[in-house]
Every structure is written in C-alpha cells, then in structure tokens.
C-alpha cells in the first residue's frame, strides 16, 4: 500500500505468501488501505507461490513441460500415479509405500532436484529404486499432460533459469517482490524469487 501511495504502479508489485487463506487476508488488508479513488489497484498481484507459478506456466508452460493446458494433480491423483509408477518398476507397493515415495519425491523437487539429477546422484539401492519410481511417476504425469503441486514450483524455477526471455519479462513486470512467511520458503521458492528480483534487487521479506 505504501509503494502504491508512493507512485509505484500496482502491476509492478508481486506479493507472495503460502496459503490461500493468507493470500485472501493480504488482499483484504491491502485493498482496505488503498483508496481506489486516489490510487488504482489494477494489476496488483497478491498470491500464493503455487497460484503464481500455475499462472506463469499457463502462459509459458509449453517452453518447459510442452503444454499450457495441463491438469494439476491433487493428493489422490498423485497417490494413484505413484502406485502405478511402483508397479511399472516391478516393485511391491506393500514394501514401497506410495506416501513415503511421494514424500521423497516432493522433498527432492522442493530442493530443485529433478529426476535426471536425482538418478545421477543416487548411490545406493534405496535411492536408485526411488529414482526409477520417480522417473516412472514423471512419465505418467507427462503422459497425462499433468503436473503435481511441487512441479508448479520446480518447473517455474527451471523456466526462469533457462529462458532469458521469460525471466526478463517477469523482471520487467514485477519490479518489487514482497514475500510473507519467509521462514517457510524452500530452495525452489527462493530460486524463483531470486530470479525475479535479481535485476532490480527490490525484495522485501517478512518472517519469524
């Protein structure tokens, strides 16, 4: 609200948090502080990381995952895909619990470790087996034009790191980056914020 009152165009501001409830509360507070008769709020982006990444991939997803019309798998969809991936690797899902496998895959994606890197770094039987399941799981998702929640972050981070045009466009659009609940950011979310703020270096974070 202070930035807008100081003359910063609302569309140059990106405010991110972690839950839909927090994002809604942030929007309510900001809109209550800004007088629409004095300062416009068109284009102001107040969002969760995941929603922001989903919108980004709806525009440029074809450059990183080959599609912009992807489905976002929920927890039940992920579990079904993980079970199918385990079976595709000729492993027993009573020994390889889908929830445990998904936890490892999620942790890897949140550390910006894609399947290629995971398999390259796997050094023991357990890690190599997870790597095979991870590969089969990704093949199932991509075969169905789907991503999971962690892919929204991972693929956006990869897109910003690899595609100069997209990175420049987002840097020009979002010249002020604000992040709430910063203590909850993972490696992938940090990289996304860093890519966007690296040009103008206008970044403000709040954490506890």
């Amino acid at each position: 609200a202070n930035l807008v009152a100081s003359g910063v165009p609302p569309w140059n501001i990106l405010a991110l948090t972690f839950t839909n409830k927090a994002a809604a509360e942030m929007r309510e507070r900001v809109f209550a502080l800004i007088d629409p008769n004095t300062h416009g709020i068109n284009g102001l982006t107040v969002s969760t990381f995941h929603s922001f990444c989903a919108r980004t991939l709806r525009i440029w997803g074809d450059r990183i995952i080959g599609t912009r019309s992807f489905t976002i798998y929920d927890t039940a969809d992920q579990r079904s895909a993980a079970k199918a991936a385990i079976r595709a690797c000729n492993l027993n899902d009573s020994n390889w619990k889908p929830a445990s496998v998904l936890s490892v895959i999620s942790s890897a994606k949140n550390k910006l470790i894609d399947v290629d890197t995971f398999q390259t770094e796997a050094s023991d039987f357990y890690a190599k087996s997870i790597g095979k399941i991870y590969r089969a799981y990704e093949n199932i998702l991509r075969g169905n034009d789907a991503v999971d929640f962690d892919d929204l972050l991972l693929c956006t981070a990869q897109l910003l790191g690899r595609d100069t045009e997209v990175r420049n466009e987002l840097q020009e659009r979002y010249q002020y980056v604000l992040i709430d609940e910063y203590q909850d950011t993972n490696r992938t979310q940090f990289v996304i914020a860093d890519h966007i703020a690296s040009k103008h270096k206008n970044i403000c974070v709040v954490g506890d």
Side-chain angles (χ1 to χ4, degrees), residues 74-195:
D74 61 18
T75 303
D77 294 325
Q78 288 178 251
R79 189 179 293 268
S80 295
K83 285 183 178 180
I86 292 166
R87 289 195 296 270
C89 295
N90 295 315
L91 296 170
N92 191 324
D93 60 12
S94 62
N95 296 326
W96 299 89
K97 301 292 185 183
S100 298
V101 170
L102 285 170
S103 178
V104 176
I105 293 173
S106 176
S107 178
K109 290 182 178 183
N110 287 331
K111 294 174 183 174
L112 208 59
I113 300 172
D114 61 16
V115 64
D116 292 333
T117 304
F118 191 97
Q119 289 192 309
T120 299
E121 295 178 352
S123 58
D124 56 33
F125 173 77
Y126 177 78
K128 289 179 179 179
S129 297
I130 293 289
K132 290 178 183 178
I133 300 170
Y134 189 173
R135 174 73 66 186
Y137 174 76
E138 290 295 285
N139 289 341
I140 291 169
L141 261 62
R142 298 300 174 264
N144 291 319
D145 281 342
V147 297
D148 63 20
F149 290 120
D150 298 311
D151 281 328
L152 295 173
L153 303 176
L154 174 64
C155 295
T156 300
Q158 290 176 328
L159 176 66
L160 290 172
R162 299 173 186 177
D163 195 310
T164 303
E165 182 183 1
V166 174
R167 185 170 63 252
N168 287 342
E169 186 156 337
L170 288 181
Q171 287 173 344
E172 288 300 316
R173 165 75 192 272
Y174 298 114
Q175 297 184 23
Y176 293 84
V177 179
L178 300 90
I179 303 174
D180 184 37
E181 301 292 349
Y182 189 70
Q183 74 280 357
D184 292 333
T185 52
N186 57 42
R187 171 68 181 168
T188 306
Q189 288 159 330
F190 165 76
V191 168
I192 292 167
D194 182 57
H195 279 312

Side-chain angles (χ1 to χ4, degrees), residues 22-72:
E25 187 172 332
M26 284 172 66
R27 280 191 290 271
E28 289 173 6
R29 291 183 179 188
V30 170
F31 295 165
L33 288 169
I34 297 175
D35 181 356
N37 297 317
T38 306
H39 304 287
I41 53 177
N42 290 337
L44 177 65
T45 302
V46 181
S47 172
T48 65
F49 265 100
H50 287 86
S51 293
F52 170 72
C53 290
R55 287 201 300 272
T56 300
L57 293 174
R58 292 293 184 200
I59 300 171
W60 292 293
D62 54 321
R63 299 189 181 199
I64 193 72
I65 55 176
T67 182
R68 289 177 290 175
S69 58
F70 51 84
T71 298
I72 301 173

